[in-house]
Amino acid sequence: MRETFDDFLRRLKRRRRWFLVVEICAFALIFARLSFLQFIEDERYSLLSQRNCVRFIPILPQRGDICDKNGKILATNAGSYRLFLENPLKKRLEHVLTFLHQELALSEAPIARLREESLKKPCLSLMLVRDGLSWEEVSRLAFLQPIWPELYVTLGYSRAYPYDEVFGHVTGYVGLPEAHSATSADAQDIAQGSSLLLKHPDYRTGKTGLERTFNSTLLGKAGFRKVEVNAAGKVIRQLELSLAEAGTSLKTTLDADLQAFAYALLKPYKVASCVIIEVPSGAVRCLVSVPSYSPMDLSQGKSSSWQKVLHDPNHSLLHRAIAGQYPPASPFKIVTALAALEAGIVSPKETVFCPGYFELGNHKFHCWNKFGHGAINLAEAICKSCDVYFFSLAGRLGIDRIATMAQRLGFGELTGISLYGEKKGLVPSRSWKFLSRQEKWSPSDTILVSVGQGPVLATPLQLATFIAHIANKGMRVHPTLIEDVMPPLEDMGFRPETIAFLQRTLIEVCTTGTGRRARPDNPAILVAGKTGTAQVRSISSQDRASGKTDTRQRPWNERDHSLFVGYAPADDPRYALAIIVEHGGKGGEVAASLAKDLFEKLLTDAHEEKKTHAPPL
Amino acid sequence: MHRLYNRLIFFLIRNSIFLLIVVLIAAIGVIAQYSVSGGCWVSRAGKHALRFWMCTGVMITVALTDQRFWYAWAYWMYIGTLLLLFFVELLGFVGMGAQRWIDLYVLQIQPSELMKIMLVLALCRYYGTLTKQETRAPGVHIKPLLMVAVPCGFILKQPDLGNALILVSVGLGVIFLAGIQLWKMSVAFFLGICGLPFAWQHMHAYQKKRVLIFLNPDQDPLGAGYHLLQSKIAFGSAGLFGKGFLKGTQSHLNFLPEKHTDFVFTVICEEFGFLGGSALLLLYVALIGLSYAMTSGVKGYFGRLMGGALTFLLFLHVFINVGMVMGLLPIVGVPLPLVSYGGSSMLSTAIALGFILNIAHYSTLRLGG
């Protein structure tokens, strides 16, 4: 009995020792785990801990203003008071909604929206009740704040465009950033370290126009608040504050009054565009494209406005001044003439007989004047816009020389104006035709190109720049929208007598020729220019036989485009201008008379300006 | 009266190291509770300290009561606690989604905590009465298994997976210590494994989720895995010296769940770092080692068996709690002895420590066998 009891105890002791081993192993494991967590995974978890409780709240910088040359604001920020509701508990929500209904006369629709939103969003998240509170409402809400702690009034900013659609395409509009499109301007901003901003509900980025080109300068530098938050996301305290730096304001060369005047002038013509460049600085004073859009509405993302703009048959989103590509028509004759004179192929005295048509092989190319101009020299041909003269010139000149001259004058190339979406236009050449149509260049193509028809395309900005070169006596003009950018003077290398001849001729055009309607009433003001009528549909032989050569009898969208390029005052050029009225009819009628209004506006203003600013002598 | 006083002084001096360790652990507990309440003395820390002193009285009383008394009353106390468990089922109130507490008007008590001690007492009493021949007899382990299973059923129904798990573990531990043949143990273990799918079927959804999260902790970092992840972040971000007293971001900004009870070790480690965490763990190692040493040489079979079982019970609490907050074990609610906030847990720990002291005190008494 005695021995068995000792065995008994011994066995117990043995088994207890097993337990001891297990316990020692377990503690070893625990220490190993503790060391692993605190020494090896240290960094990873420290980071996670930081991320847990430290939040960066972005502070939006004030977007810079855009103004015209006189400091008139084209784009700015408008502050408005917004009412936010911190998502309350369900029971409380109904009380709050009743209060909102009574105090703010909130209608049923937004109340229903809030109710719905409240279900979806987590507790304490902010919901926008209303934007643009009146001062009275703000003060009343501030007074009642202690009773309704879930209501917050904050001052928010949205983009405002005082001239709205007048500068629509030029300023462009802003919108929500697209974080995923790497090619967009947003990607750049993200690279610049403002990715924090993407989280800000009020953050907008320039989508087009100046807003897009100068997005990064307008944007400024984002600030942030580094705060400590608890598990519910509530801010406990502020750790660090870095203030935002407001964006730089952008001063443009545009003239708001002029632009507004031009816009009002062109608006009745449905689709039109106008560019005015100051010579010799190249400062763009006016850049109108009709139809326009309201950047205010588009920036606010109003869906009705977006629908209207997107489904507009006249494509109001297209910035025609820089991206509308048109056949340059008769103004292109200046290019042909310049090419011929510079090449020495033609002398100003030489005449060509115009019977009203030009025969190449068995095809007849008609002059716009079916009765013909008779024997005519170069100056008269430009003046009366005789087509046959240039047809005959085309054969002797050849496409290569015309194309080279066109490129020298800036056609077929971007002008480099700081706007997004500029188009190149097109200067056709042998290689272009071969590459795009797999066809050989034919003499009839040259004939069409020589008068600015056929495949040749130019934007209004290119046309204005081109005529500015001529106005500037063959010195290159760089169109620009930003004042401080002033490129060096550059002679384009034309013979001075050629330029002088052309200038004389262009004055003649506006005195006795096709462009006489562009001449201001004040006889002291001399203008120069060239009209153009671009065929949208060629006149068929049946039309010609039945005498329907006037396109005004056709449906609107088949009528000719009306063009005018010119400059004034002709003796001391200060402004170069290009106007295109789509389907406007004859250039000498519509576009030229619009040019007259613009010239008068420009020169009387300038006149008065000179008067007021000039020192009394 | 004078004799009793002498006995007490003698007892205190003799067990001074053991008692010092207990006081140190409890002191860390008070500091942790103070920190968890955001530097507030009244809400928890003071109560924790007060409870500890009251429970120290209980501990010494248990230690100095004659072992024969405990031996004689073991079954009755077990039955009494079982009745309390039954009452919880009938009229207990619900806290934290589980029905665990019973209101005794003076204090609220969680009988499942007491059950662990009483089960050990009763099981040791049972094996203490067996002779060596009887321990090898067939069917001798049926009664102990039932003694484990009945309270276990009640506790699972509350539901309280952690305590049930500890009850089963410590019950099997006693049966193992009492000398069950190893083949029987192996067969039981095998059957247990086979029964796991069946147990899985009867688990609550949240318990299943916890096990799944334990197996794959990264699967749902914001949902069910949130607690574990936040706990690991607290450990990992502390480093060697910790973030400093009252400066733990994970605990003070409420990222940690149950930080005053189950996750209190995380709070200590976050604020005092590896050094603080290891200091507390070493105190536990010392306490468990001392308990083992103090009870391994006693003459009585009952005492030696119970000493081993209670040491194991203490170890289980520390291991499961610390293991779960560090992601070594699934998250089951087990308190950290003397540090976690809670009266019942403190009381049962004090009673267990009291019994260990009692066994050491009555080392020459031969009960059982």
Side-chain angles (χ1 to χ4, degrees):
Chain A
M1 181 68 200
R2 178 70 192 229
E3 275 176 333
T4 47
F5 183 65
D6 279 347
D7 286 348
F8 220 39
L9 276 180
R10 263 201 296 279
R11 190 178 65 207
L12 181 55
K13 201 164 195 168
R14 260 201 324 275
R15 294 233 163 159
R16 280 185 52 149
R17 237 175 247 149
W18 287 28
F19 266 32
L20 190 66
V21 171
V22 169
E23 283 158 21
I24 288 168
C25 291
F27 271 107
L29 185 66
I30 281 176
F31 272 104
R33 177 71 176 169
L34 193 61
S35 319
F36 175 73
L37 281 177
Q38 301 203 310
F39 297 128
I40 295 174
E41 300 232 290
D42 185 21
E43 268 178 42
R44 181 180 148 216
Y45 284 123
S46 293
L47 195 71
L48 284 174
S49 166
Q50 278 277 313
R51 221 183 277 166
N52 249 350
C53 60
V54 176
R55 291 262 190 294
F56 287 89
I57 299 174
I59 303 174
L60 199 64
Q62 281 262 13
R63 202 173 166 87
D65 291 345
I66 299 176
C67 36
D68 82 338
K69 70 176 178 114
N70 300 319
K72 287 190 178 159
I73 306 275
L74 310 184
T76 185
N77 305 298
S80 66
Y81 288 97
R82 294 165 186 182
L83 179 62
F84 283 98
L85 170 62
E86 196 180 66
N87 198 358
L89 294 173
K90 217 173 177 185
K91 256 191 278 172
R92 178 83 176 160
L93 181 70
E94 287 310 314
H95 288 288
V96 178
L97 290 180
T98 331
F99 165 76
L100 289 174
H101 179 65
Q102 286 165 357
E103 284 293 318
L104 295 178
L106 209 62
S107 59
E108 272 307 311
I111 284 181
R113 174 184 63 85
L114 281 173
R115 204 173 276 142
E116 202 178 302
E117 215 174 316
S118 166
L119 286 176
K120 283 183 204 154
K121 285 192 170 178
C123 210
L124 297 181
S125 60
L126 291 180
M127 306 183 292
L128 179 68
V129 179
R130 189 199 270 179
D131 198 350
L133 294 172
S134 71
W135 182 237
E136 219 170 273
E137 286 167 330
V138 171
S139 50
R140 197 177 324 137
L141 284 165
F143 179 70
L144 293 169
Q145 167 83 39
I147 313 169
W148 305 98
E150 51 276 90
L151 292 174
Y152 290 90
V153 177
T154 58
L155 180 60
Y157 287 94
S158 55
R159 204 68 171 149
Y161 301 90
Y163 285 88
D164 214 10
E165 55 178 29
V166 170
F167 279 101
H169 292 109
V170 183
T171 56
Y173 54 93
V174 294
L176 290 170
E178 298 154 25
H180 302 295
S181 62
T183 50
S184 73
D186 307 330
Q188 271 183 336
D189 301 337
I190 294 163
Q192 280 164 12
S194 53
S195 61
L196 206 57
L197 277 180
L198 291 177
K199 288 187 200 155
H200 198 286
D202 272 356
Y203 174 63
R204 296 289 184 277
T205 175
K207 290 293 173 187
T208 184
L210 291 168
E211 294 276 25
R212 175 160 179 171
T213 319
F214 294 96
N215 193 40
S216 37
T217 43
L218 289 170
L219 183 62
K221 200 162 156 270
F224 61 86
R225 283 200 316 140
K226 189 176 168 189
V227 294
E228 190 174 70
V229 297
N230 70 5
K234 201 170 170 65
V235 174
I236 303 296
R237 67 199 167 104
Q238 183 168 298
L239 302 171
E240 207 183 317
L241 174 71
S242 155
L243 288 172
E245 283 171 32
T248 323
S249 287
L250 190 67
K251 196 172 181 198
T252 62
T253 58
L254 292 157
D255 183 338
D257 291 339
L258 179 64
Q259 173 102 358
F261 177 79
Y263 183 75
L265 202 63
L266 296 189
K267 210 182 173 196
Y269 294 92
K270 280 208 264 189
V271 187
S273 176
C274 162
V275 178
I276 298 175
I277 299 178
E278 199 176 74
V279 177
S281 66
V284 176
R285 293 290 180 223
C286 163
L287 204 59
V288 174
S289 176
V290 174
S292 183
Y293 52 76
S294 159
M296 203 101 135
D297 292 349
L298 296 194
S299 294
Q300 280 162 12
K302 274 189 192 166
S303 85
S304 60
S305 309
W306 270 109
Q307 289 306 317
K308 210 178 105 194
V309 160
L310 288 174
H311 296 118
D312 184 359
N314 291 327
H315 307 288
S316 43
L317 275 180
L318 178 67
H319 189 184
R320 290 182 159 78
I322 60 163
Q325 303 182 99
Y326 301 95
S330 299
F332 202 77
K333 286 171 185 165
I334 303 170
V335 180
T336 313
L338 198 53
L341 287 168
E342 286 290 297
I345 281 176
V346 71
S347 83
K349 283 171 190 157
E350 197 180 320
T351 58
V352 166
F353 184 78
C354 169
Y357 57 86
F358 180 79
E359 270 178 309
L360 183 77
N362 54 6
H363 190 86
K364 262 189 186 175
F365 290 91
H366 291 271
C367 188
W368 66 270
N369 187 345
K370 60 181 173 185
F371 305 112
H373 292 97
I376 196 166
N377 66 14
L378 180 57
E380 288 165 335
I382 292 175
C383 217
K384 294 181 177 154
S385 205
C386 174
D387 293 326
V388 170
Y389 186 92
F390 288 93
F391 293 158
S392 74
L393 214 53
R396 287 149 65 194
L397 203 53
I399 181 63
D400 299 336
R401 275 189 277 221
I402 297 177
T404 313
M405 180 53 69
Q407 273 158 0
R408 253 174 98 184
L409 288 164
F411 289 102
E413 293 294 333
L414 297 180
T415 63
I417 197 162
S418 40
L419 284 177
Y420 174 75
E422 198 193 349
K423 288 275 162 61
K424 276 185 178 181
L426 179 69
V427 174
S429 63
R430 291 176 203 278
S431 57
W432 165 81
K433 189 168 182 191
F434 188 75
L435 286 174
S436 63
R437 299 190 189 165
Q438 280 82 43
E439 277 174 38
K440 248 191 100 183
W441 189 267
S442 77
S444 61
D445 292 330
T446 317
I447 281 175
L448 286 176
V449 169
S450 70
V451 296
Q453 291 286 162
V456 58
L457 290 173
T459 65
L461 181 63
Q462 281 173 339
L463 285 169
T465 312
F466 143 71
I467 202 68
H469 296 326
I470 305 289
N472 204 21
K473 300 185 178 65
M475 304 288 269
R476 190 177 289 283
V477 171
H478 295 273
T480 174
L481 279 169
I482 307 304
E483 215 146 50
D484 49 348
V485 191
M486 185 77 180
L489 283 174
E490 180 195 338
D491 196 327
M492 296 175 80
F494 300 121
R495 284 206 299 266
E497 56 269 28
T498 320
I499 297 293
F501 167 76
L502 281 177
Q503 286 193 344
R504 271 200 314 277
T505 316
L506 292 180
I507 293 170
E508 194 58 32
V509 172
C510 293
T511 321
T512 58
T514 49
R516 58 191 176 278
R517 284 197 193 139
R519 200 180 160 168
D521 295 333
N522 184 351
I525 301 173
L526 213 56
V527 300
K530 180 80 194 81
T531 58
T533 309
Q535 280 185 359
V536 171
R537 211 197 74 187
S538 60
I539 301 166
S540 65
S541 44
Q542 291 139 9
D543 288 341
R544 212 174 286 284
S546 57
K548 282 190 199 158
T549 50
D550 194 342
T551 59
R552 270 177 294 190
Q553 295 152 4
R554 295 191 189 168
W556 179 77
N557 60 356
E558 288 184 9
R559 288 182 206 163
D560 295 341
H561 294 331
S562 177
L563 282 83
F564 183 84
V565 302
Y567 57 88
D571 39 0
D572 175 25
R574 284 190 62 198
Y575 300 102
L577 148 163
I579 296 177
I580 286 184
V581 180
E582 277 189 35
H583 313 298
K586 282 218 163 74
E589 288 162 18
V590 179
S593 47
L594 287 173
K596 174 193 159 188
D597 292 342
L598 284 169
F599 280 140
E600 277 180 340
K601 165 86 178 158
L602 275 168
L603 295 173
T604 45
D605 280 5
H607 221 61
E608 275 161 22
E609 218 173 90
K610 236 179 204 169
K611 263 188 215 158
T612 47
H613 291 294
L617 287 170
Chain B
M1 196 63 207
H2 189 67
R3 228 183 112 218
L4 189 71
Y5 179 74
N6 276 348
R7 260 180 73 191
L8 185 65
I9 296 295
F10 178 67
F11 169 84
L12 288 179
I13 291 169
R14 204 176 137 189
N15 298 302
S16 55
I17 295 176
F18 186 90
L19 291 171
L20 181 71
I21 292 169
V22 170
V23 170
L24 281 178
I25 293 175
I28 290 178
V30 173
I31 290 169
Q33 296 303 332
Y34 179 78
S35 169
V36 160
S37 338
C40 173
W41 186 254
V42 280
S43 70
R44 291 211 183 92
K47 227 169 160 186
H48 193 77
L50 188 67
R51 274 178 187 161
F52 173 68
W53 291 121
M54 282 162 69
C55 287
T56 311
V58 174
M59 179 171 75
I60 291 170
T61 313
V62 169
L64 293 178
T65 309
D66 198 322
Q67 202 175 54
R68 277 161 293 198
F69 170 81
W70 296 120
Y71 189 73
W73 284 87
Y75 286 138
W76 293 110
M77 277 184 289
Y78 170 78
I79 289 165
T81 316
L82 202 58
L83 282 176
L84 281 181
L85 264 180
F86 181 62
F87 281 132
V88 167
E89 196 57 44
L90 284 184
L91 43 84
F93 63 90
V94 176
M96 307 286 289
Q99 195 172 1
R100 293 179 189 173
W101 284 266
I102 185 166
D103 199 344
L104 295 181
Y105 297 101
V106 194
L107 71 163
Q108 293 157 7
I109 200 164
Q110 209 179 334
S112 52
E113 288 289 342
L114 277 180
M115 193 65 217
K116 292 182 273 197
I117 314 293
M118 298 312 162
L119 177 72
V120 170
L121 187 63
L123 284 175
C124 292
R125 165 73 215 271
Y126 175 81
Y127 283 108
T129 50
L130 295 179
T131 59
K132 194 185 175 189
Q133 284 72 30
E134 280 169 330
T135 57
R136 301 280 171 175
V140 76
H141 301 300
I142 300 285
K143 269 191 214 163
L145 283 175
L146 274 176
M147 282 159 78
V148 176
V150 173
C152 198
F154 279 123
I155 291 171
L156 271 180
K157 199 156 181 300
Q158 288 177 353
D160 184 353
L161 192 62
N163 271 327
L165 217 67
I166 284 192
L167 215 58
V168 171
S169 313
V170 81
L172 292 176
V174 174
I175 295 171
F176 173 78
L177 284 176
I180 189 171
Q181 291 98 314
L182 288 175
W183 69 265
K184 280 190 190 168
M185 202 74 184
S186 311
V187 169
F189 192 68
F190 178 73
L191 288 175
I193 296 279
C194 294
L196 269 185
F198 180 74
W200 180 256
Q201 294 276 311
H202 285 80
M203 266 160 87
H204 282 260
Y206 82 93
Q207 291 167 337
K208 283 185 193 177
K209 218 178 208 173
R210 281 177 182 178
V211 175
L212 287 175
I213 285 302
F214 165 68
L215 295 174
N216 183 11
D218 297 328
Q219 83 177 17
D220 188 9
L222 290 176
Y226 182 77
H227 293 168
L228 182 56
L229 180 69
Q230 294 305 333
S231 178
K232 285 205 280 191
I233 288 174
F235 277 105
S237 58
L240 184 61
F241 299 105
K243 293 176 184 167
F245 186 46
L246 298 178
K247 286 180 186 156
T249 51
Q250 288 291 98
S251 53
H252 289 290
L253 299 174
N254 286 330
F255 289 99
L256 276 180
E258 297 296 318
K259 53 191 179 184
H260 57 283
T261 54
D262 294 353
F263 283 84
V264 73
F265 185 67
T266 318
V267 175
I268 293 166
C269 278
E270 192 189 13
E271 299 199 343
F272 302 106
F274 181 76
L275 289 182
S278 338
L280 180 60
L281 281 177
L282 283 175
L283 284 173
Y284 279 119
V285 170
L287 186 68
I288 289 164
L290 209 56
S291 304
Y292 178 85
M294 279 160 61
T295 56
S296 70
V298 299
K299 297 278 187 283
Y301 183 77
F302 170 74
R304 197 180 279 191
L305 181 61
M306 188 149 152
L310 289 174
T311 311
F312 184 57
L313 180 66
L314 208 58
F315 156 78
L316 271 180
H317 273 97
V318 176
F319 179 67
I320 294 181
N321 178 280
V322 172
M324 83 180 178
V325 297
M326 290 197 294
L328 281 174
L329 296 170
I331 293 182
V332 290
V334 170
L336 191 62
L338 300 173
V339 178
S340 283
Y341 185 76
S344 305
S345 158
M346 179 81 92
L347 184 65
S348 74
T349 311
I351 294 173
L353 294 172
F355 273 120
I356 287 166
L357 288 171
N358 179 287
I359 291 157
H361 195 68
Y362 292 90
S363 61
T364 50
L365 191 67
R366 292 186 169 215
L367 278 178

